Amino acid sequence: DPEKRRAVGIVWDLLSFWPRDAHPLCPPPYGGRAVLATATRATQLAADDLPGMGASAVVLSGHSQGSLICAASVAVLDFLASPTEADGPQPTGPWLTQVRCQHAMSRLGLITYGSQLQFLYARLFPTYFGYGRVSWIRRRALGDGRWRSLYRWTDPLGAPVLSWPVERRERPGPRTTSWTGLHWPD
């Protein structure tokens, strides 16, 4: 049955992102590797000291589960761009250094589409992707309107990330007339 297969696939994908402590029967999680690989690639693309690199802008674009990976990568890059001694051990390697992360952050933009960040992850994992964290990524890490969230009303899981209806009980949709945004600049 295609509907059941799709539902199981979505649940499996969502569970496979998180560490095994939360789901010991699933395969090894890919979340940590995918986030660090995406952050590393952003620093490589922004690097001025490599032939053919030195992009003036680097845009991370994530659909569905990819929006989670991209948002987490932005958070990792911002964290590594301004570490303190209290933060503990930092990833090592030639790409995720403080200077390279700062350089990448100055050129970074984010596009998410079909994202479950607000609809699903903010409810299931509020510490990692609740209002406070998403607001922090949008304001502090990206700032200046460098994050765009795209969605379509017919998407079963994807929804707006940076705005929601003023009326709490109202389900977001094409008939929604009043929206609240995430600290939009004047």
Side-chain angles (χ1 to χ4, degrees):
D1 178 22
E3 285 297 314
K4 287 181 185 174
R5 206 171 32 240
R6 180 178 178 188
V8 168
I10 289 170
V11 170
W12 188 269
D13 195 33
L14 296 175
L15 288 176
S16 297
F17 181 81
W18 300 98
R20 266 193 160 161
D21 294 345
H23 55 86
L25 301 177
C26 287
Y30 65 87
R33 290 187 318 272
V35 169
L36 289 178
T38 303
T40 298
R41 185 64 177 147
T43 61
Q44 290 171 342
L45 290 170
D48 288 328
D49 59 343
L50 290 176
M53 297 298 179
S56 61
V58 175
V59 178
L60 298 180
S61 175
H63 172 258
S64 191
Q65 187 84 348
S67 66
L68 171 70
I69 293 168
C70 289
S73 296
V74 169
V76 164
L77 285 169
D78 186 65
F79 173 78
L80 294 175
S82 56
T84 65
E85 290 181 23
D87 293 334
Q90 305 295 319
T92 58
W95 295 109
L96 294 178
T97 64
Q98 182 178 7
V99 172
R100 287 195 185 273
C101 290
Q102 287 171 344
H103 188 67
M105 285 303 297
S106 69
R107 300 174 179 203
L108 196 62
L110 175 62
I111 297 175
T112 56
Y113 43 104
S115 178
Q116 302 108 8
L117 285 173
Q118 186 184 127
F119 171 73
L120 190 61
Y121 286 108
R123 293 175 178 148
L124 296 175
F125 307 101
T127 301
Y128 299 102
F129 288 103
Y131 172 83
R133 178 64 62 180
V134 172
S135 178
W136 173 82
I137 291 171
R138 191 209 168 280
R139 267 184 303 128
R140 182 175 180 270
L142 292 173
D144 301 331
R146 293 186 291 156
W147 182 357
R148 294 290 184 255
S149 173
L150 308 173
Y151 53 89
R152 61 184 167 90
W153 298 121
T154 56
D155 191 330
L157 292 176
V161 175
L162 304 175
S163 61
W164 54 93
V166 170
E167 294 295 324
R168 285 187 157 291
R169 294 183 183 143
E170 184 178 1
R171 181 171 167 80
R175 298 187 209 295
T176 303
T177 57
S178 298
W179 291 87
T180 297
L182 250 181
H183 303 291
W184 293 108
D186 295 333

